[in-house]
Amino acid sequence: MGWFKRIKEGITTKSTDKKEIPEGNWYKCPECKKVLTSQEHADTLWVCPSCSHHERIGSDEYFYILFDDGKYKELFANLTSADPLNFVDTKKYADRIKATMAKTELGDAMRCGVGTMNEREIVVACMDFNFIGGSMGSVVGEKFAKSVDYAIKHRSPFICISKSGGARMMEAGFSLMQMAKTSAKLTQLADAGLPYISILTDPTTGGVTASFAMLGDFNIAEPKSLIGFAGPRVVKETIGKDLPEGFQRAEFVLEHGFLDLIVDRQHIKEKLTSIFKMLLG
Amino acid sequence: MIAYLDFEEPIKELREQLEKTKEVSEKSKVDVSKAIHDIEKKIKDVTVEIYSNLTPWQRVQVSRHPNRPYTLAYINAITEGTFIEMHGDRTVKDDKAMVGGFGMIDGQSVMLIGQQKGINTKMRQYRNFGMANPEGYRKAMRLMKLAEKFGRPIVTFIDTPGAFPGLEAEERGQGEAIARNLFEMMKLRVPVICIVIGEGASGGALGIGIGDKVLMLENSWYSVISPENCSTILWRSWDHKVEAASALKLTSEDMLANKLIDGVIKEPCGGAHANETEMFSTVKKEILKQIEKLSAMEPEKRIDARIKKFSSMGVVAS
């Protein structure tokens, strides 16, 4: 027999006395299930303090992490997707763009900013996975190209943070040629003798991997990011076998020689600062 | 063996009729020359009619026609037996899906590179269906650098359903191999001509597709994804490949209209496979014409124009 006995049945608190806890105040780590307040999670730069799981974040958060005091000037924010092919699948591409813009409050899958990082001016292009899977269409290519031009003009180092499922199918041939376009611009940046750092985050696949993401003077990844050309599902179908543990994760890609280093998000700013110091003085 | 696509059925029937008539004439010694002449004319008319109204999906089918000539057929024909095939990327192995080497075209030495598909079941496996691994792209780059060293123009033949999406391909950096080629091809100091002769699927095609002149054969296709895979992803079923082929605007005319390529090479009536000799001769003439034009430019100007061309691709709103 228990020491305590419940005398009254059911919940007795009146609904008027109920304490409301607003949505989104808590974060539960999908890996280790640790529960944090959203504030605590933001304080650790959206990295779980117990298992170091790097939550996917967007350009807003990366700009906050890299730029001094989170201050920067956004570049080319007015560029949005046209629909050059009048593409229609189960939905019109034009409608898909409008709906995604409204839902995400983003212009497209890449944002660019200029500001200082530990007092050095840098140009950063950062992809947003929330915008149609971070897919690369004409806007991503054009923003990348203009950012490179800006970096050359102001003699600033250039950083691109990739997070993308690949090319945007609804722009077909145009998106394919963005791979060529971004690579072409990187030859100009290289000729200008300016550093290009590619930061690969979870996930970076397809046409983005097969163009600018793999072309950094330094290729740096966040821990455990999925990085590959073909997606794991496609590779699995091709070989007809289960994939080995850790396949296409950052650690695997580094072991095979395609990354220079893997850096925790909390250390990325200081690491980049020392790299630029060594390259540029 | 001659194969026919579903929409080529009327041509097949007429050809069979022609064969029968010829047989009859041999056996019975009846003069059927007029009948034969009529049927031949009809075959021509029907072929013209069918081939001048191809839908985008039918174009895709023609690009994969089992009798369509592949890269080595073009190379051997236009170099008239002078082709010296070279092998290996000097790092991992020799990729059979990517071929290349020097050859002479009308007395000029040229570097010829391309994806190679197999001509029968055994060879298709040997060539990995024209899907190159990273070492294929690296072999292509090695040969391009060699051409640059000796000041020889480069011609690439594009014909691939995509870069190979296998486990080893990922381990050896398929993405990096293609990216590196895009970057390096932009800066090659010799003229580069790229010709899509069949399928131009995605990054696997683009990996040898950065040129001063990018041309497509009339019935080839070039896009970011195949119609089948596009259908699977966007419609979540294989059944919408015909719609996807239209939506992707992947034909040579559409790609030219969108300024994503520089020109279209006409095919013989009935497609490249209907008259290979004519096709090879057209391609050879086009290559010689382009080499002459491009060789007249200074290397710096050519590189500059190449970079500017690719940098201007895309349509945005603001």
Side-chain angles (χ1 to χ4, degrees), chain B residues 46-110:
Chain B
V46 169
T47 311
V48 170
E49 207 202 311
I50 291 175
Y51 269 81
S52 45
N53 295 303
L54 292 181
T55 64
W57 171 247
Q58 287 171 334
R59 285 283 175 79
V60 173
Q61 287 177 285
V62 176
S63 81
R64 300 169 179 164
H65 196 290
N67 297 126
R68 196 172 171 85
Y70 298 143
T71 296
L72 279 174
Y74 283 90
I75 293 179
N76 288 330
I78 63 179
T79 61
E80 296 169 77
T82 61
F83 181 60
I84 300 174
E85 190 182 342
M86 299 169 73
H87 297 274
D89 71 337
R90 298 292 188 268
T91 306
V92 175
K93 57 153 73 153
D94 183 47
D95 191 333
K96 308 299 182 197
M98 184 79 78
V99 297
F102 284 111
M104 304 288 278
I105 309 179
D106 269 8
Q108 285 190 67
S109 125
V110 175

Side-chain angles (χ1 to χ4, degrees), chain B residues 1-181:
Chain B
M1 207 189 96
I2 302 170
Y4 292 94
L5 300 168
D6 50 3
F7 59 85
E8 287 180 317
E9 202 59 33
I11 304 174
K12 183 184 172 188
E13 279 166 20
L14 283 168
R15 287 238 175 90
E16 282 168 0
Q17 207 184 321
L18 183 68
E19 288 306 310
K20 268 183 207 152
T21 316
K22 280 181 180 168
E23 264 173 44
V24 168
S25 94
E26 269 168 32
K27 276 182 199 156
S28 63
K29 303 219 167 82
V30 179
D31 184 18
V32 286
S33 59
K34 192 183 173 296
I36 290 178
H37 179 80
D38 286 350
I39 298 170
E40 278 172 346
K41 190 179 174 300
K42 213 169 172 194
I43 291 177
K44 210 178 161 198
D45 292 346
V46 169
T47 311
V48 170
E49 207 202 311
I50 291 175
Y51 269 81
S52 45
N53 295 303
L54 292 181
T55 64
W57 171 247
Q58 287 171 334
R59 285 283 175 79
V60 173
Q61 287 177 285
V62 176
S63 81
R64 300 169 179 164
H65 196 290
N67 297 126
R68 196 172 171 85
Y70 298 143
T71 296
L72 279 174
Y74 283 90
I75 293 179
N76 288 330
I78 63 179
T79 61
E80 296 169 77
T82 61
F83 181 60
I84 300 174
E85 190 182 342
M86 299 169 73
H87 297 274
D89 71 337
R90 298 292 188 268
T91 306
V92 175
K93 57 153 73 153
D94 183 47
D95 191 333
K96 308 299 182 197
M98 184 79 78
V99 297
F102 284 111
M104 304 288 278
I105 309 179
D106 269 8
Q108 285 190 67
S109 125
V110 175
M111 172 54 75
L112 303 126
I113 297 169
Q115 289 104 351
Q116 178 66 30
K117 291 180 177 174
I119 48 171
N120 54 38
T121 310
K122 201 176 157 195
M123 288 305 280
R124 274 189 274 277
Q125 277 185 346
Y126 177 73
R127 298 291 184 186
N128 200 24
F129 305 89
M131 295 186 284
N133 273 284
E135 47 275 22
Y137 294 98
R138 293 185 181 123
K139 163 166 140 185
M141 183 42 61
R142 179 175 80 81
L143 299 183
M144 288 189 235
K145 291 277 185 189
L146 203 59
E148 184 180 45
K149 176 177 172 184
F150 294 102
R152 303 299 171 193
I154 297 165
V155 179
T156 70
F157 296 92
I158 297 167
D159 190 11
T160 181
F164 189 58
L167 188 132
E168 286 90 359
E170 292 295 319
E171 288 180 337
R172 296 198 285 266
Q174 188 70 285
E176 194 274 346
I178 293 171
R180 188 65 50 200
N181 279 17

Side-chain angles (χ1 to χ4, degrees), chain A residues 80 138 181 210 229-230 248 258, chain B residues 170 172 179 186 311 313 315 317:
Chain A
T80 53
S138 298
K181 177 172 179 165
F229 174 65
Q248 290 184 322
F258 297 97
Chain B
E170 292 295 319
R172 296 198 285 266
M186 289 288 169
S311 298
M313 289 179 182
V315 176

